[in-house]
C-alpha cells in the first residue's frame, strides 16, 4: 500500500485551496504536498494583480466567481487570516460598439445575480477623477497614432475588487494542514520530474533527485508548468490541455496629482489597459497580444512607456507626471483555445487529477476550484458547483467555452 493517498504538486493558491477544502470536507487520507521552491506562492500566485470580478458572460465563469467572491469576503472570518479583501468595484470604460453589446447582456447578468450599473460618460468621469471620456482634448496628430475613441459608457460591477492571492494561498495551506490534523505534510524544495503511469493508471511521482514516491492519486496544480510535467510523463497530443505559458507584466507608479484618485475602482480603459490603487501607489497592466509562448518573465520598461503610458496620459492627463517605480513579469497558464480553466480527473488516466489553464483568472476562481477539486477527489463527482463543462473533454468534443462579449 502506498505511503500517501494523495500527492498535490504545487504550492500556489490552487493547491492550497484544494488542500484546505479536503480538510474541511473531512478527508481521511494522507496527503503530501510537493513544491519545488523554498517558499509557498513563488509561482504565478505571488505575481498576480489579485483582481476579482463576477462580470463574465459564460454561466460557468459567473458561477465560479460569484461563489468565490462570497468566500473571499468571508475568508478572514472563516480562516482567521487577513487577505486584503477590497471590494472597490471594477469599471470597464467602453467604446460605443462594446457598450451597446454589454447593455444587451444586462438581463442575463441580472438573472445570474451579477450586479451591474451602466454609467454615462459623465458618471464614468465622476468615478475616476481626472479621466476624460471624450477625445477632443487629444492632438489629432497624436490620435492618428493612438487611435483612441470616445468612451460611450461604463460597465461598473460593485461586487468586484482585489485581494492578496499570496496571503490567501498561505492561509489555505496553514489552515488546511491544521484541519488535516497530522495527516498532511508540506515539502518545499522538492521538484517533481515526472509521473509514473502504467497502462493508463497513475502510480506515483519521480523526484528530480531520483526518489520515487507512490500514491493512490495525484493532483497536479503546477500552474503554467503543468503541461511540461505531463509531457515529461509521456502524455502527448490531445491528451494535453491546450495550455501555454505566456508572460504578463505589471507596473507600479506613484499616483497622478489628482484629488480622490486613491478611491478609484479597478479601471479598464483603451486597449485593455487596467489600473487600480495598490497601497499608496498605482498598479498598472495590459496584456501584450504579441507575447510569444515561453517561460521568460523579464519585465520591460519600454513596453510600459510605448504601449501603455502614451494612451494612459491622454485618457488621464496628469499620468505623464507619474514615475515608474517597479515592475515584474509572471506567467499566465493561458488556455490557447478558449481562455478558461481546464480541470478535473483526466478521462484517459485513472487517478490523475489536474488543474490549469486559468488564463489570468485563477486567483479569483481558486475558492470554487479548490472545493470542486476536493469534491471530485473525495466523492468522484462535483457536489456544490457543477464544473463538468471545464473538463479537457470539451476540446475533444469541440465544445469550447468562449466568453461572448469581450469586455
Ligand atoms: C502578472 C499576472 C497578473 C495576474 N492577475 C490576475 C488577477 O488579477 N486575477 C486573477 O484571478 N488571476 C490573475 N493572475 C493569474 C493567477 O495568478 C493564476 O491563475 C493563479 O495564481 C494560478 O495559481 P496556481 O496555484 O495554479 O499556480 P502557481 O501559483 O503558479 O503555482 C504552481 C506551483 O507549482 C510549482 N511547481 C511547478 N512545477 C513543479 C514541479 N515539477 N515540482 C514541484 N513544484 C512545481 C511552482 O513552483 C508553483 O509554486 C495573474 C497572473 C499574472 C502572472
Amino acid at each position: 500500500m502506498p505511503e500517501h493517498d494523495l500527492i498535490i504538486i504545487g504550492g500556489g493558491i490552487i493547491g492550497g485551496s484544494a488542500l484546505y477544502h479536503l480538510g474541511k470536507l473531512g478527508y481521511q487520507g494522507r496527503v503530501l504536498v510537493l513544491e519545488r521552491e523554498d517558499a509557498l506562492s513563488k509561482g504565478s500566485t505571488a505575481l498576480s494583480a489579485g483582481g476579482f470580478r463576477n462580470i463574465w458572460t459564460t454561466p460557468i465563469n459567473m458561477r465560479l466567481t460569484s461563489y468565490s467572491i462570497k468566500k473571499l469576503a468571508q475568508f478572514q472570518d472563516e480562516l482567521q487570516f487577513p487577505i486584503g479583501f477590497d471590494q472597490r468595484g471594477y469599471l470597464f470604460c467602453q467604446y460605443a460598439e462594446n457598450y451597446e453589446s454589454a447593455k444587451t447582456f444586462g438581463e442575463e447578468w441580472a438573472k445570474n445575480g451579477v450586479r451591474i450599473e451602466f454609467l454615462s460618460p459623465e458618471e464614468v468621469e465622476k468615478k475616476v477623477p481626472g479621466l476624460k471620456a471624450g477625445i477632443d482634448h487629444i492632438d489629432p496628430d497624436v490620435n492618428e497614432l493612438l487611435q483612441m475613441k470616445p468612451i460611450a459608457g461604463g460597465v461598473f460591477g460593485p461586487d468586484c475588487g482585489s485581494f492578496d492571492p499570496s496571503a490567501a494561498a498561505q492561509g489555505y495551506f496553514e489552515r488546511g494542514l491544521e484541519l488535516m490534523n497530522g495527516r498532511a505534510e508540506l515539502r518545499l524544495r522538492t521538484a517533481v520530474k515526472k509521473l509514473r503511469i502504467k497502462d493508463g493508471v497513475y502510480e506515483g511521482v519521480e523526484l528530480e533527485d531520483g526518489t520515487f514516491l507512490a500514491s493512490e492519486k495525484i493532483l497536479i496544480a503546477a500552474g503554467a508548468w503543468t503541461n511540461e510535467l505531463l509531457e515529461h510523463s509521456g502524455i502527448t497530443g490531445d491528451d494535453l490541455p491546450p495550455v501555454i505559458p505566456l508572460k504578463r507584466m505589471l507596473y507600479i507608479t506613484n499616483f497622478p496629482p489628482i484629488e480622490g484618485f486613491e478611491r478609484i475602482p479597478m479601471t479598464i480603459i483603451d486597449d485593455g489597459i487596467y489600473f487600480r490603487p495598490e497601497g499608496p501607489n498605482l498598479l498598472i497592466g495590459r496584456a501584450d497580444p504579441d507575447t510569444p509562448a515561453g517561460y521568460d518573465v523579464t519585465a520591460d520598461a519600454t513596453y510600459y512607456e510605448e504601449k501603455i503610458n502614451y494612451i494612459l496620459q491622454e485618457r488621464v492627463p496628469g499620468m505623464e507626471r507619474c514615475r515608474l517605480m517597479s515592475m515584474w513579469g509572471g506567467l499566465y497558464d493561458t488556455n490557447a483555445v478558449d481562455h478558461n480553466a481546464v480541470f478535473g480527473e483526466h478521462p484517459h488516466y485513472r487517478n490523475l487529477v489536474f488543474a490549469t489553464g486559468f488564463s489570468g483568472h485563477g486567483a479569483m476562481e481558486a475558492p470554487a476550484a479548490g472545493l470542486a477539486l476536493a469534491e471530485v477527489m473525495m466523492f468522484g463527482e462535483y457536489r456544490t458547483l457543477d464544473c463538468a463543462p471545464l473538463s479537457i473533454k470539451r476540446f475533444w468534443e469541440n465544445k469550447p467555452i468562449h466568453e461572448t462579449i469581450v469586455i
Side-chain angles (χ1 to χ4, degrees), residues 135-260:
I135 53 166
D136 294 347
H137 63 288
I138 306 176
D139 179 332
D141 289 341
V142 172
N143 207 28
E144 188 69 28
L145 289 171
L146 300 181
Q147 296 287 310
M148 292 168 67
K149 296 181 188 167
I151 289 169
V155 175
F156 179 69
D159 296 323
C160 312
S162 66
F163 73 111
D164 179 344
S166 309
Q170 187 70 34
Y172 275 142
F173 275 107
E174 283 191 22
R175 296 298 169 260
L177 290 168
E178 282 165 20
L179 285 167
M180 291 297 296
N181 204 12
R183 294 186 309 281
E185 181 196 342
L186 165 66
R187 265 188 227 167
L188 299 172
R189 300 181 184 86
T190 311
V192 178
K193 189 169 169 200
K194 58 179 180 175
L195 317 183
R196 189 181 292 173
I197 296 168
K198 201 168 156 210
D199 301 330
V201 183
Y202 160 82
E203 293 186 334
V205 299
E206 230 175 79
L207 304 183
E208 285 292 350
D209 68 6
T211 313
F212 177 74
L213 298 171
S215 70
E216 196 61 39
K217 263 188 201 298
I218 182 90
L219 166 62
I220 308 175
W225 297 272
T226 297
N227 269 9
E228 189 182 61
L229 198 54
L230 292 175
E231 279 178 286
H232 288 166
S233 312
I235 297 178
T236 56
D238 287 350
D239 278 344
L240 288 174
V243 176
I244 51 170
L246 277 186
K247 174 169 77 174
R248 292 292 178 246
M249 295 178 285
L250 288 172
Y251 300 91
I252 299 285
T253 70
N254 54 323
F255 277 133
I258 300 169
E259 178 77 24

Side-chain angles (χ1 to χ4, degrees), residues 20-21 30 42 61-62 64 84 163 209 222 226 238 379 386:
Y20 172 75
H21 285 99
R30 293 145 308 156
K42 282 179 85 174
N61 276 336
M62 284 191 268
L64 287 180
F163 73 111
D209 68 6
T226 297
D238 287 350
F379 312 125
D386 179 14

Side-chain angles (χ1 to χ4, degrees), residues 375-387:
E375 287 180 347
V376 96
M377 289 188 289
M378 261 180 90
F379 312 125
E381 63 183 14
Y382 297 116
R383 294 195 172 170
T384 309
L385 298 157
D386 179 14
C387 294

Side-chain angles (χ1 to χ4, degrees), residues 10 12-14 35-36 44-45 47-51 192 225 330 360-364:
I13 194 166
I14 298 294
E35 166 56 56
R36 66 180 166 198
S44 305
T45 296
L47 304 166
S48 167
V192 178
W225 297 272
H361 39 104
M364 70 178 86

Side-chain angles (χ1 to χ4, degrees), residues 389-407:
L390 294 175
S391 163
I392 189 173
K393 276 202 244 172
R394 74 183 187 267
F395 308 108
W396 307 340
E397 293 165 357
N398 199 17
K399 290 183 187 156
I401 302 171
H402 286 292
E403 288 294 319
T404 50
I405 300 176
V406 178
I407 53 174

